[in-house]
């Protein structure tokens, strides 16, 4: 007999096991998010928006009203809901392609307007859902389906520093952090602080999460974790980048 | 660096996406701009692997709006430039495509239709007919080839570059996810080996010389001050369109001449219809098929001639009437009734067509 693992209260047991590939980081991100929602007691008020990307597989993940939007468009849909109903806690959940490429104008403008929403962005250094193409976050020389000879930074630039960019364009009342699925306790803390910043009406909140995509990286478990824990942080600094009125952790 | 991607002729067995990448190489396409989307991805995957070997270029843009506009930029620089997309990506490309239509910019766009509306499915449909032919805030001065086999994907991808540069209308290859992903045999060839001459390209900007001294500057615009000014421009575009439409329009017929039931279908659906017509003819039934190869412009006169002699026209498509709208519009004034088999986002088999026709006879 197998015992079901302990799940966050706001998860929807009927849709578990989830739809992500074995070893995918998305499940861990949503675990941290689920626990943060539970601890803040906001399940009832929360509206979850998921992008097109592997985040779309979370369309029935929670016992939370959820809207699957278009690729890159989750930020404006959640912004629209929040502007029309301020009681809602709006979460926009997306990938690095969704947030930093096709949806970058929305991220930049929502951040500039200091929208009272929370954006959670999964950085797995590629376009997972479409089969592993280059993303804005792809590391220098990393091979993907559209950088088959390795990412050439001369021709395609360096990995996007998302949280740093968001921090640079938001006022002091915004919350910005970068966590990792390699430290779920810390990640949950970042998620809670991000959501609290929205609950208090303070301002925009943004959490990028370093996460694994073993399917498209074509890595085994050991290689996947090595990439997340050792390689990715060389380009993406983990920690809080902007904390309204508080000392940062990380 | 290798010179010609294909020397002479070569018999191959490959997916439609691979075919498009090879055809673009063979046509001398110099740069592709694109953004990932299923079922188009492998056109880019093959292109990014092959292009550097032949000195061709690639840019992955931040979205399809950008992919469409960078393709326009590539053409303005005088290059054989193309892009490929599908579904919601095609929706975003309507903004650049309408600029290309207004400014007569010969972009080539490959569309691998997927299910719609919205994100829908990544698999197959014929639901991008209206958008590819008429999307954007314009009149639809676009050339649209609807392919049905891998051989045609190869032939018409090459042809698209020539048609675009000859007539200076945006030109589209309308495929679908089935054609993209399925493997099929075909003959690839170097266009020159078949006497196909590639229409030369020319820059619209950076043409050399000092503008204002050596030559007039090229001031390209898409904005007009008055209704009358715009009217003249649009009427100029449309009068060229009307003039060239008959020489651009292509179609195929299968036992259409004496057909009592005339089946109209395009793209991959024509294959089911052709098989159905064969079977129905073997049963002694007077059934024929008209297949538009170009959906824009349509071979209207020929279609009317066949429809006029038929007892009924049957439109079969993997959409809810997008082809039918075009056909019905072209048959206006005739009394032949139009019946429909509409299957949005779903494939059509020969057996189904036989069954539907049998109901009519
Ligand atoms: C307008 C539009 N363009 C392209 C696509 C195809 N598409 C679906 S998911 C995806 C990439 C997803 O990558 P990312 O946002 O990094 O999320 P991941 O799957 O890696 O979690 C793309 C390009 C689409 N659905 N819509
Ligand atoms: S493709 Fe990658 S990101 Fe998507 S579910 Fe699989 S492992 Fe996760
Ligand atoms: Mg990603």
């Amino acid at each position: 007999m197998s015992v079901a693992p302990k799940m966050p209260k706001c998860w929807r047991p009927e849709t578990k096991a989830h739809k992500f590939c074995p070893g995918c980081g998305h499940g861990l991100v949503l675990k941290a998010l689920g626990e943060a929602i539970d601890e803040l007691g906001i399940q009832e008020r929360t509206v979850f928006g998921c992008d097109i990307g592997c985040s779309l597989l979370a369309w029935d993940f929670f016992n939370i009203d959820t809207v699957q939007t278009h690729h890159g468009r989750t930020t404006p849909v959640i912004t629209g809901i929040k502007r029309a109903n301020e009681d809602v806690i709006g979460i926009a959940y997306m990938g690095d392609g969704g947030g930093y490429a096709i949806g970058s104008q929305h991220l930049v403008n929502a951040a500039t307007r200091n929208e009272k929403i929370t954006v959670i962005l999964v950085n797995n250094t590629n376009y997972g859902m479409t089969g592993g193409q280059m993303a804005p976050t792809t590391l220098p020389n990393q091979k993907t389906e559209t950088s088959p000879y390795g990412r050439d930074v001369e021709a395609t630039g360096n990995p996007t520093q998302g949280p740093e960019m968001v921090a640079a364009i938001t006022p002091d009342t915004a919350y910005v952090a970068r966590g990792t699925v390699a430290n779920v306790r810390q990640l949950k803390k970042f998620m809670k602080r991000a959501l609290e910043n929205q609950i208090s009406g303070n301002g925009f909140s943004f959490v990028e999460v370093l996460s694994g995509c073993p399917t498209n990286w074509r890595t085994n478990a050991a290689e996947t974790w090595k990439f997340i824990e050792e390689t990715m942080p060389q380009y993406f600094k983990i920690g809080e980048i902007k904390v309204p009125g508080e000392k940062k952790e990380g | 660096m290798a010179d010609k991607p294909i020397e002479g002729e070569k018999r191959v067995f490959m997916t439609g996406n691979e075919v498009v990448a090879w055809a673009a190489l063979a046509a001398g396409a110099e740069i592709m701009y694109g953004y990932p989307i299923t079922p188009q991805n492998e056109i880019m995957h093959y292109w990014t692997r092959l292009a550097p070997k032949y000195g061709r270029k690639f840019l992955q843009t931040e979205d399809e709006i950008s992919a469409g506009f960078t393709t326009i930029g590539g053409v303005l620089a005088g290059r054989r430039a193309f892009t490929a997309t599908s579904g919601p990506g095609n929706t975003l490309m309507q903004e650049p495509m309408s600029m290309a239509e207004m400014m007569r910019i010969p972009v080539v766009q490959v569309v691998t239709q997927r299910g719609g509306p919205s994100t829908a499915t990544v698999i197959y449909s014929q639901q991008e007919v209206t958008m590819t032919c008429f999307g954007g805030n314009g009149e639809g001065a676009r050339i649209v080839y609807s392919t049905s086999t891998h051989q045609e994907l190869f032939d018409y991808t090459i042809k698209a570059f020539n048609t675009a540069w000859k007539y200076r209308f945006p030109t589209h290859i309308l495929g679908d996810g089935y054609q993209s992903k399925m493997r099929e045999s075909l003959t690839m060839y170097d266009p020159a080996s078949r006497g196909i001459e590639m229409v030369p390209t020319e820059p619209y900007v950076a043409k050399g010389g000092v503008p204002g001294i050596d030559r007039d500057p090229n001031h390209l615009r898409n904005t007009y001050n008055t209704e009358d000014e715009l009217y003249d421009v649009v009427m100029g575009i449309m009068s060229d369109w009307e003039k060239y439409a008959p020489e651009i329009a292509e179609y195929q017929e299968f036992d259409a001449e004496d057909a009592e039931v005339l089946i109209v279908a395009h793209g991959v659906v024509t294959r089911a219809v052709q098989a159905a017509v064969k079977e129905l003819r073997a049963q002694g039934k007077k059934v024929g098929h008209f297949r538009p190869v170009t959906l824009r412009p349509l071979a209207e006169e020929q279609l009317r001639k066949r429809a006029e002699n038929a007892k009924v026209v049957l439109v079969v498509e993997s959409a809810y009437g997008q082809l039918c709208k075009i056909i019905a519009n072209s048959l206006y004034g005739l009394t032949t009734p139009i019946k429909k088999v509409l299957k949005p986002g779903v494939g059509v088999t020969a057996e189904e067509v036989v069954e539907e026709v049998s109901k009519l006879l």
Side-chain angles (χ1 to χ4, degrees):
Chain A
M1 200 188 79
S2 66
V3 182
K6 198 167 153 271
M7 292 180 206
K9 194 171 91 355
C10 63
W11 276 26
R12 185 166 177 80
E14 293 89 330
T15 59
K16 303 297 169 291
H18 60 58
K19 305 173 182 75
F20 303 107
C21 303
C24 176
H26 272 282
L28 288 169
V29 182
L30 296 175
K31 181 160 193 249
L33 178 62
E35 287 177 359
I37 290 170
D38 287 352
E39 287 173 25
L40 293 167
I42 54 170
Q43 179 178 354
E44 202 186 337
R45 298 167 63 192
T46 298
V47 174
F48 182 72
C50 57
D51 213 67
I52 298 301
C54 290
S55 68
L56 75 84
L57 300 171
W59 69 274
D60 61 354
F61 195 94
F62 294 106
N63 274 322
I64 285 175
D65 290 338
T66 299
V67 55
Q68 190 185 68
T69 75
H70 271 207
H71 184 38
R73 313 303 176 199
T74 309
T75 305
V77 171
I78 293 299
T79 297
I81 292 172
K82 181 76 182 192
R83 286 273 177 161
N85 181 351
E86 289 171 13
D87 295 335
V88 161
I89 301 303
I91 300 174
Y93 183 64
M94 64 197 64
D96 38 8
Y100 297 150
I102 193 165
S104 56
Q105 58 176 333
H106 307 310
L107 180 60
V108 164
N109 286 287
T112 303
R113 293 192 305 262
N114 206 23
E115 293 291 347
K116 315 289 183 287
I117 64 168
T118 300
V119 174
I120 294 165
L121 185 148
V122 174
N123 174 353
N124 56 13
T125 74
N126 81 103
Y127 286 78
M129 171 59 67
T130 40
Q133 293 82 10
M134 193 178 82
T137 47
T138 295
L139 303 183
N141 302 317
Q142 187 180 342
K143 285 186 182 163
T144 69
E145 290 292 340
T146 51
S147 59
Y149 306 108
R151 180 175 190 170
D152 173 5
V153 294
E154 286 296 316
T156 65
N158 278 295
T160 298
Q161 301 293 311
E164 289 77 3
M165 173 185 75
V166 171
I169 60 174
T170 40
D172 291 341
T173 51
Y175 175 88
V176 183
R178 183 187 282 117
T180 166
V181 292
N183 188 345
V184 176
R185 274 176 77 172
Q186 182 198 50
L187 179 61
K188 186 170 86 181
K189 193 177 329 169
F190 292 171
M191 300 252 186
K192 269 180 87 171
R193 289 191 175 166
L195 288 165
E196 278 165 352
N197 206 48
Q198 179 179 175
I199 294 165
S200 64
N202 229 7
F204 191 66
S205 48
F206 181 72
V207 181
E208 180 190 287
V209 188
L210 306 186
S211 175
C213 177
T215 301
N216 289 303
W217 292 354
R218 300 184 176 89
T219 45
N220 63 24
E223 290 161 350
T224 304
W225 282 106
K226 191 160 183 271
F227 197 80
I228 300 169
E229 291 181 310
E230 292 174 25
T231 311
M232 290 177 76
Q234 291 170 22
Y235 298 89
F236 306 114
K237 195 169 166 286
I238 293 158
E240 291 180 309
I241 294 162
K242 189 172 226 173
V243 180
E246 257 186 62
K247 211 181 154 297
K248 294 180 293 201
E249 169 174 324
Chain B
M1 197 169 292
D3 186 25
K4 283 196 167 175
I6 303 161
E7 297 282 355
E9 302 210 342
K10 201 171 160 189
R11 198 72 190 146
V12 292
F13 179 68
M14 53 174 63
T15 65
N17 282 342
E18 194 173 358
V19 170
V20 170
W22 277 105
L25 281 174
E30 291 157 287
I31 185 161
M32 176 184 188
Y33 305 87
Y35 187 77
I37 191 161
T38 312
Q40 170 277 136
N41 289 314
E42 296 82 9
I43 299 177
M44 285 189 326
H45 297 178
Y46 285 108
W47 181 267
T48 51
R49 278 161 184 74
L50 293 167
K53 297 182 182 159
Y54 303 99
R56 319 295 175 82
K57 295 182 183 176
F58 174 73
L59 177 68
Q60 183 175 317
T61 55
E62 63 278 19
D63 63 15
E64 292 86 352
I65 301 177
S66 178
F69 281 110
T70 47
T71 305
I72 286 178
V75 169
L76 293 177
R79 306 292 179 203
R80 239 175 242 116
F82 78 109
T83 186
T85 190
S86 178
N90 195 10
T91 305
L92 295 185
M93 271 191 202
Q94 292 315 307
E95 190 189 357
M97 290 308 134
S98 71
M99 174 168 157
E101 197 180 316
M102 169 64 112
M103 300 173 74
R104 303 285 296 269
I105 298 167
V107 297
V108 170
Q109 181 209 30
V110 179
V111 176
T112 64
Q113 295 172 96
R114 58 186 256 175
S118 189
T119 311
T121 75
V122 300
I123 305 168
Y124 163 80
S125 85
Q126 295 187 316
Q127 295 173 283
E128 296 175 52
V129 165
T130 305
M131 178 157 67
T132 307
C133 292
F134 302 105
N137 56 340
E139 305 296 337
R142 302 156 175 216
I143 297 160
V144 180
Y145 293 112
S146 173
T147 57
S148 72
T149 64
H150 285 27
Q151 189 64 59
E152 286 181 358
L153 271 177
F154 190 82
D155 298 345
Y156 283 102
T157 298
I158 292 172
K159 190 166 195 172
F161 287 99
N162 277 344
T163 316
W165 281 93
K166 181 171 176 195
Y167 299 103
R168 306 288 169 106
F169 291 115
T171 303
H172 311 259
I173 296 291
L174 188 66
D176 59 60
Y178 286 170
Q179 294 182 62
S180 284
K181 298 280 187 175
M182 139 177 106
R183 264 174 213 280
E184 193 162 89
S185 311
L186 71 147
T187 303
M188 302 204 300
Y189 49 84
D190 167 23
S193 75
R194 297 225 175 155
I196 300 170
E197 239 178 82
M198 294 312 296
V199 174
T201 60
E202 58 164 351
Y204 291 68
V205 295
K207 295 155 85 89
V210 182
I213 296 173
D214 304 319
R215 61 173 173 89
D216 280 342
N218 210 0
H219 294 145
L220 307 165
R221 66 161 169 167
N222 61 47
T223 319
Y224 297 90
N225 295 324
T226 66
E227 301 94 311
D228 308 323
E229 206 181 355
L230 173 69
Y231 175 83
D232 288 342
V233 171
V234 175
M235 290 309 277
I237 296 172
M238 294 323 287
S239 100
D240 274 3
W241 175 261
E242 301 291 349
K243 183 166 91 193
Y244 297 128
E247 59 183 81
I248 297 170
E250 293 183 33
Y251 62 92
Q252 276 188 314
E253 291 185 324
F254 304 87
D255 294 312
E257 216 177 309
D258 62 342
E260 290 176 1
V261 177
L262 183 72
I263 309 172
V264 183
H266 77 102
V268 86
V269 176
T270 184
R271 297 167 68 142
V273 174
Q274 287 172 38
V277 166
K278 248 189 213 152
E279 186 176 330
L280 289 159
R281 281 280 168 175
Q283 296 172 16
K285 293 179 177 155
K286 285 196 162 175
V287 178
H289 173 34
F290 182 92
R291 175 222 169 182
V293 174
T294 48
L295 298 182
R296 283 290 286 164
L298 195 75
E300 214 168 282
E301 240 173 79
Q302 188 68 15
L303 173 63
R304 283 182 74 92
K305 199 161 86 188
R306 297 305 183 212
E308 197 164 18
N309 292 331
K311 291 202 173 117
V312 59
V313 170
L314 179 68
V315 179
V316 185
E317 60 176 309
S318 297
Y320 200 76
Q322 299 195 24
L323 173 67
C324 194
K325 269 185 219 159
I326 296 174
I327 299 302
N329 187 50
S330 305
L331 298 184
Y332 181 76
L334 298 186
T335 51
T336 319
I338 299 176
K339 303 278 181 194
K340 308 164 197 178
V341 177
L342 309 178
K343 302 192 67 183
V346 179
V348 179
T349 64
E351 292 74 18
E352 282 172 86
V353 178
V354 169
E355 201 185 306
E356 292 291 340
V357 171
S358 302
K359 283 188 215 160
L360 296 173
L361 285 169

